[in-house]
Amino acid sequence: MKSFSKNDKILLLVIAILCVMVLLAYKFWPKKAASQVEILVDGKLVQTCDLSQNQTIPIKVGDKTTNILEISNHQAYMKEADCPDHLCIKQGKIAYGGESIVCLPNRVVIQVKSDEKSEFDSVAN
């Protein structure tokens, strides 16, 4: 079995350094926080809320309050939910454009809407 040559090791080191630099730039690149969140139930817009106002928003599906959204410190998070797995609560806080919280059992989606325009119109897989 052949070992790496000196040039191979230098090339691998340069690639590793570039990867670390890209990851650090992505992590620490300043992001502009968005100003609003949209609450959708069954795919229909129910309410738009300002992220600059601290508030607690009950979300109703039909006649029943199923989720409670909390907005504080320019971040939104699902405080309570009556779904069995509570994955929407575990998704954590959102504040930047494109982030979302989804509660599939209750068909509730919380989307952060950014003021900035994206360079993409859509993304297709």
Side-chain angles (χ1 to χ4, degrees), residues 1-6 8-9:
M1 189 167 166
K2 187 177 177 184
S3 64
F4 290 111
S5 70
K6 182 179 178 182
D8 291 337
K9 291 177 184 178

Side-chain angles (χ1 to χ4, degrees), residues 38-92:
E38 292 181 344
I39 301 171
L40 294 95
V41 177
D42 282 333
K44 297 176 184 156
L45 181 64
V46 174
Q47 188 175 354
T48 301
C49 304
D50 191 3
L51 279 173
S52 63
Q53 277 186 303
N54 293 346
Q55 53 188 318
T56 301
I57 302 138
I59 301 170
K60 292 187 176 195
V61 176
D63 295 332
K64 180 181 170 190
T65 300
T66 59
N67 300 67
I68 296 179
L69 180 71
E70 182 82 23
I71 297 176
S72 64
N73 299 324
H74 299 278
Q75 297 178 324
Y77 63 95
M78 198 67 73
K79 185 176 182 179
E80 293 179 28
D82 68 355
C83 54
D85 54 12
H86 293 111
L87 289 176
C88 54
I89 295 172
K90 295 174 187 172
Q91 289 177 25

Side-chain angles (χ1 to χ4, degrees), residues 3 17 20 25 31-32 35 57 76 81 86 91 104 107 117:
S3 64
I17 290 171
V20 169
K31 298 177 188 174
K32 183 179 178 189
S35 60
I57 302 138
H86 293 111
Q91 289 177 25
L104 285 177
R107 300 175 312 277
K117 292 285 184 189

Side-chain angles (χ1 to χ4, degrees), residues 107-123:
R107 300 175 312 277
V108 173
V109 177
I110 312 299
Q111 296 178 334
V112 178
K113 290 297 177 180
S114 176
D115 298 333
E116 293 181 357
K117 292 285 184 189
S118 173
E119 62 182 276
F120 305 107
D121 290 335
S122 65
V123 177

